[in-house]
Each structure stands twice: as C-alpha cells, then as structure tokens.
Amino acid sequence: MMGGGRALLLVLLVSSLLVQIRASDPVFYEPFEESFEGRWVVSGKDGYTGVWKHEKSDGHEDYGLLVSEKAKKYAIIKELDQPVTLKDGTVVLQFEVRLQNGLECGGAYLKYIRPQDASWDAKEFDNETPYTIMFGPDKCGSTNKVHFILKHKNPKTGKYVEHHLKFPPSVPYDKLSHVYTAILKPDNEVRILVDGEEKKKANFLSADDFDPSLIPSKTIPDPDDKKPEDWDERAKIPDPDAVKPDDWDEDAPMEIEDEEATKPEGWLDDEPDETDDPEAIKPEDWDDEEDGEWEAPKIDNPKCEEAPGCGEWKRPMKQNPAYKGKWHAPLIDNPNYKGIWKPQEIPNPEYFELDKPDSDPIAAIGIEIWTMQDGILFDNVLIADDEKVATSILEKTWKPKYEVEKEKEKAEEAAAGGADGLSEFQKKMFDVLYKIADIPFLEPYKTKIIDVIEKGEKQPNITIGVLVSIIVIFVTVLFRILFGSKKPTVSCSSNICYFPRRIVKPK
C-alpha cells in the first residue's frame, strides 16, 4: 500500500508539472528569428505589390518582418495549426511593432482571421477576407488610435457586424519599438495594453464601450411610421396680432455720413493715391504694335505718405441712430405646438440577448495594410492563454531593445543640444498630452487636440503654446460639464485653439 501511495503521489506530481509546463507555453509564437518564407504566405491578389523582407531592427541583431517600400499595399498571412477559441478562458493577443520612419498615414495592425471555406487559398488573402478581431495602431489625418474591432455574428440575421472599441488609446508618436497587447477575459472584460501598461479597460457587452453595441436595442423607430401632415413642430411663431409701428422705417440705411466730420488739415485733394514709377524704364524689346502702348507701373504716391490723405475727401460713415432694419413680428408660444415628432418604437427584429460574445475562432493571423511609410517592422507575434506568458516574452524580447533605443535617443538629443528635436521634458509633456486627448469626455475635440500636439512635436519652440491651448480646452470643457452649459465650439488654427466668448454691447 505504501508503495502504491508513493506511485500515486509521483503520478500527481508529474501531472501537475505537465500542466504547469503546458500553461507556460504560448498557443502561437512567431519571433521571426528565421525567414518567414515557406511559413507565412504572401498574398497573390492584384494590387498587393509591397515587398516583405526579413530584416534586422535598426540598431539590433533581432530580426522582424519589414514593410520595405512606401505607398504600397501589403498582405501576408500565417494559418494556425489549430483554431483558437475565444469562448472559454483567457486569450492574450500580443505583437511588437516599430515605426522606424514614423507613421504619417497608414496602419500597423493585425487581423485575426476566422475559419474560411475548405476551398479557400491563403494566397487569396486581402481586405475582403473575413476576420474575427482587428487590433493595432492606425494613423492618418484625423485618425490616431490603437484599433480594437470585433466582428460578431448576429444570430437573428446571420450578418456579421463590426463593433469598434470606443475611445481607444492613441498611437505613440516616436520611432521606438512598442508592444500592443489585448487581453480577452471569460467575464467579458477586454484590456488594451501598450508596452505592458494598461491604457483601456472595457466590457464586450457594454454599450458605453463598443459602437455599435454587441446587444442591439430592444426597440427601433418604426420605419413605416409617418409624421401627420398637421403635426406642428414650431415651438414659437410670429405673433399674428402684432402690427409694425408707424414710425418704423425699414428703408433707413445702417450707416450715414458723419456731418460733423471735417477734412483734416493738409489733405492733398489734387494728388492721386498712386503715381507712375519714375524709375521704371520701357523694355527695349517692347513693341507698341504688338504689346500696346507701354505704361509705367504704379507705385504709392510718396507725397501721400507724409499727408493725412490724397484725392477727393469724403466724410466718413457712422452708425445711423434711426436704423431699425426690417421689421419682424415678435415670437410667441405656438398654441398648436406638439413637440418634435418621432416615429413610434417597435420591437427590434434583430434584437437578441447574450451572456458573452459568441465569437468565431481565430484560424490565422494576417497583416493587410496600405501605408505611405516604409520601415514598419513587426515582431514577436503571440497568442497565449496566460497573461504571464505574454508578460514574460515582453520582458525578454521587447524591454531590452526598448531600453537600448531610449538610451540612443537620449544620446542623440544630447549631441544635438536639443536644437533639432524634442527635449526629454518635452517628450514627457507630449506623452501626458496624448493621455489627456484619450479622456472620454474630450472625444469630440480629440482630432483637434491631436492635430495641435503633432504640430508642437514638429515645432518644439511652440511647446508652451500647445500646452496652454490644450489646458484651455480641458478646463473649458470640464467647466461646461460641471455647470451644465452647452458644449463649447472649439476652433483651432495653426497652433492655437480659440473659444467663443459672449460680447455684450454697451447700451
């Protein structure tokens, strides 16, 4: 019995060890230590002419998958040995990307492809290939975000709908290596990390976190409902009993001559504002018959610069105190007002209830982008079922490279004396400003804020102006929210944002 007990204990220990080893293994991991050829499939579809290369990251001995040409479309895919289910347990999606030449306009995201038909060929991979999740950086014009999009099938209609994460984090602005991580939990939570730091937490079933919501609304406006012809939406109407006053002169001009004005002393009535340029000479090749009679170009009359004015003097205009403009009857409450008409609500035929997303498995990983930049390097593509595995790979692969890149960046800044680039303080400040731009209640102004920040990065001498502009936006919007005012209209020009102010005319 004692021998049997020891055997049982040994079996349990070995089983536990095997479970731990299994738990520590990634489901899929691509470090690109070897060439991708023969393992990843380059799309053969028309238009995808960008050339993928197996290249070292600048300054490192580490290899990655490189976007080698500008202004090209790229597509490449890796089919997994076994589909990865998203319905049970934790799933971690992680990859590293370095924008070695920056990213003015283009994507650097991954598509996690759902299972395809048996006849499907990986060489057919393109932008139409159905995916389950799209995740990663995308930047162009007003777009600056780390995408997270879930394509989910509506069980009522059978149609797939793209559900976009609301208020996603912004893309880091530098040219260093960065790691993007999406952690999908069985309790419907999804977390987005950049360089191991959480930037966004959301719930798949929350309408506040995804647009459109995974669960449709129970009711929808009746598309067949029509507004009655006698429905009056006017809250105010002109007073039908009002009469224009007898002394109301609609023809009185807004401005009249100032009769009290007098011509300034020294005004040169007989001098024109402009005179012929005395130094101008008729060109030797000027032909009067072909070119017409030559006339000297005009210049400002120098005599007028010393005098109060030249030419015929006219009295200046002033506001007409008798001006009233066109008369309009005053507005009164509309006795027939019924409010703004809305169609009646009916049950939504596409509504369904859901405890957790019924997502399709991941059968392949693809990169399908159209970018204006080259030098985009992908590396360390990972799918895991344990957050610790993702963290461990991040610490071993990305962190040492990032630290070297940061030190090199600091050395280059020191050598340049900060004259041609951003100082460390400015970089930290812009990092903070990008975080401010990600605050949800600033979403209506995010595009303008990002635009101002990017101008500041390109022109370090206006950093203070950028900082002041964004602080003004933040404080103004916060003030309006706290005190219930309407959302302010913000206009941004060059490097400064302006806000409307109320002007009170003196009585």
Side-chain angles (χ1 to χ4, degrees):
M1 287 293 292
M2 186 172 293
R6 289 177 179 174
L8 179 60
L9 179 60
L10 181 60
V11 170
L12 291 174
L13 287 173
V14 172
S15 299
S16 176
L17 181 61
L18 289 174
V19 169
Q20 291 181 21
I21 292 174
R22 170 64 186 88
S24 64
D25 289 339
V27 177
F28 171 82
Y29 180 50
E30 174 58 86
F32 292 108
E33 293 175 352
E34 300 176 355
S35 174
F36 61 88
E37 294 180 2
R39 298 182 298 110
W40 290 67
V41 179
V42 177
S43 174
K45 295 297 286 289
D46 292 341
Y48 291 91
T49 58
V51 177
W52 295 98
K53 290 186 178 181
H54 184 240
E55 295 283 351
K56 291 180 180 179
S57 178
D58 184 27
H60 304 289
E61 292 300 314
D62 184 53
Y63 283 86
L65 182 64
L66 179 71
V67 170
S68 66
E69 299 175 289
K70 297 180 180 180
K72 298 281 187 178
K73 294 176 73 174
Y74 292 80
I76 191 169
I77 190 168
K78 168 65 176 175
E79 294 184 278
L80 304 182
D81 294 335
Q82 294 291 333
V84 177
T85 180
L86 303 179
K87 296 180 180 180
D88 301 308
T90 296
V91 175
V92 183
L93 310 176
Q94 181 171 287
F95 68 98
E96 181 183 317
V97 66
R98 185 178 183 187
L99 309 173
Q100 298 178 116
N101 296 324
L103 187 63
E104 292 296 326
C105 187
Y109 43 76
L110 267 58
K111 290 183 176 180
Y112 298 86
I113 309 301
R114 70 174 185 247
Q116 307 297 306
D117 295 335
S119 60
W120 186 77
D121 187 340
K123 283 187 172 293
E124 298 176 5
F125 176 53
D126 62 8
N127 64 317
E128 298 294 330
T129 303
Y131 63 84
T132 296
I133 290 174
M134 189 173 98
F135 171 54
D138 187 22
K139 185 178 179 184
C140 191
S142 61
T143 299
N144 184 325
K145 65 179 70 175
V146 178
H147 274 298
F148 185 90
I149 304 173
L150 174 69
K151 267 196 174 181
H152 190 265
K153 185 178 181 179
N154 184 312
K156 286 289 187 72
T157 65
K159 295 179 181 178
Y160 282 88
V161 179
E162 286 188 0
H163 302 277
H164 293 245
L165 178 67
K166 292 183 178 180
F167 315 121
S170 299
V171 180
Y173 64 87
D174 56 37
K175 300 177 182 179
L176 310 181
S177 299
H178 292 285
V179 177
Y180 298 90
T181 309
I183 303 173
L184 288 63
K185 306 290 287 184
D187 62 356
N188 299 327
E189 180 184 271
V190 57
R191 294 162 52 214
I192 306 299
L193 286 66
V194 179
D195 298 342
E197 180 182 346
E198 183 177 301
K199 298 292 185 179
K200 177 73 176 181
K201 181 187 289 186
N203 188 293
F204 278 116
L205 302 188
S206 172
D208 295 331
D209 292 334
F210 281 87
D211 182 30
S213 172
L214 263 73
I215 302 177
S217 59
K218 289 186 177 182
T219 62
I220 59 171
D222 184 354
D224 298 324
D225 195 10
K226 305 297 181 184
K227 182 171 69 173
E229 294 182 0
D230 61 348
W231 191 281
D232 197 336
E233 294 182 331
R234 299 173 300 164
K236 298 282 187 179
I237 59 171
D239 185 354
D241 298 325
V243 179
K244 182 175 72 173
D246 293 336
D247 61 350
W248 192 286
D249 186 359
E250 291 185 340
D251 299 325
M254 183 181 296
E255 292 183 331
I256 59 174
E257 285 188 354
D258 185 356
E259 297 294 339
E260 298 178 358
T262 57
K263 182 169 66 174
E265 185 177 350
W267 189 278
L268 304 178
D269 297 84
D270 299 328
E271 288 289 342
D273 291 328
E274 293 183 333
T275 185
D276 291 345
D277 184 354
E279 298 180 1
I281 301 175
K282 179 180 178 180
E284 294 181 0
D285 59 350
W286 188 277
D287 189 327
D288 289 338
E289 292 184 1
E290 292 185 5
D291 302 325
E293 183 180 356
W294 182 81
E295 295 180 356
K298 300 291 185 180
I299 62 170
D300 291 336
N301 190 340
K303 294 181 181 180
C304 299
E305 295 179 2
E306 301 175 359
C310 290
E312 181 185 0
W313 179 81
K314 295 181 180 179
R315 287 188 173 87
M317 304 297 286
K318 69 174 185 178
Q319 188 173 353
N320 183 3
Y323 172 75
K324 293 185 178 182
K326 185 172 179 60
W327 181 83
H328 297 279
L331 298 178
I332 61 171
D333 291 337
N334 181 3
N336 298 319
Y337 176 65
K338 295 183 178 181
I340 302 301
W341 182 85
K342 294 181 180 179
Q344 64 177 346
E345 294 285 317
I346 61 173
N348 184 0
E350 299 183 2
Y351 172 75
F352 62 91
E353 295 184 354
L354 195 66
D355 292 329
K356 62 171 54 181
D358 186 19
S359 304
D360 287 335
I362 297 172
I365 298 175
I367 306 174
E368 188 277 318
I369 56 177
W370 184 6
T371 179
M372 296 297 108
Q373 271 68 50
D374 58 356
I376 302 174
L377 190 77
F378 294 90
D379 200 3
N380 296 311
V381 180
L382 169 75
I383 299 178
D385 53 15
D386 188 342
E387 296 177 47
K388 293 180 181 179
V389 174
T391 301
S392 175
I393 290 178
L394 178 150
E395 293 286 338
K396 292 177 181 178
T397 60
W398 166 79
K399 193 170 184 180
K401 288 189 293 186
Y402 181 77
E403 290 175 349
V404 169
E405 292 164 10
K406 285 295 290 184
E407 288 302 318
K408 182 180 178 182
E409 185 182 59
K410 290 179 182 178
E412 290 174 348
E413 288 176 359
D420 299 324
L422 298 174
S423 68
E424 188 64 26
F425 167 76
Q426 287 172 318
K427 287 180 179 293
K428 290 180 179 178
M429 192 197 77
F430 283 121
D431 281 340
V432 172
L433 294 180
Y434 274 114
K435 291 178 181 179
I436 291 175
D438 286 332
I439 297 175
F441 70 74
L442 291 177
E443 178 67 15
Y445 316 103
K446 183 173 181 178
T447 299
K448 292 171 181 172
I449 293 174
I450 294 295
D451 183 59
V452 172
I453 295 173
E454 290 178 345
K455 284 185 172 69
E457 289 171 351
K458 295 176 182 176
Q459 305 175 57
N461 58 309
I462 62 168
T463 299
I464 299 300
V466 171
L467 178 62
V468 170
S469 294
I470 294 175
I471 289 176
V472 170
I473 293 176
F474 180 82
V475 173
T476 303
V477 175
L478 183 62
F479 181 87
R480 301 290 177 107
I481 291 174
L482 292 176
F483 294 95
S485 299
K486 293 183 179 179
K487 186 167 60 181
T489 300
V490 182
S491 61
C492 295
S493 175
S494 184
N495 310 304
I496 303 297
C497 289
Y498 303 91
F499 297 82
R501 65 175 64 179
R502 179 175 296 168
I503 300 176
V504 181
K505 295 183 179 180
K507 295 181 180 180

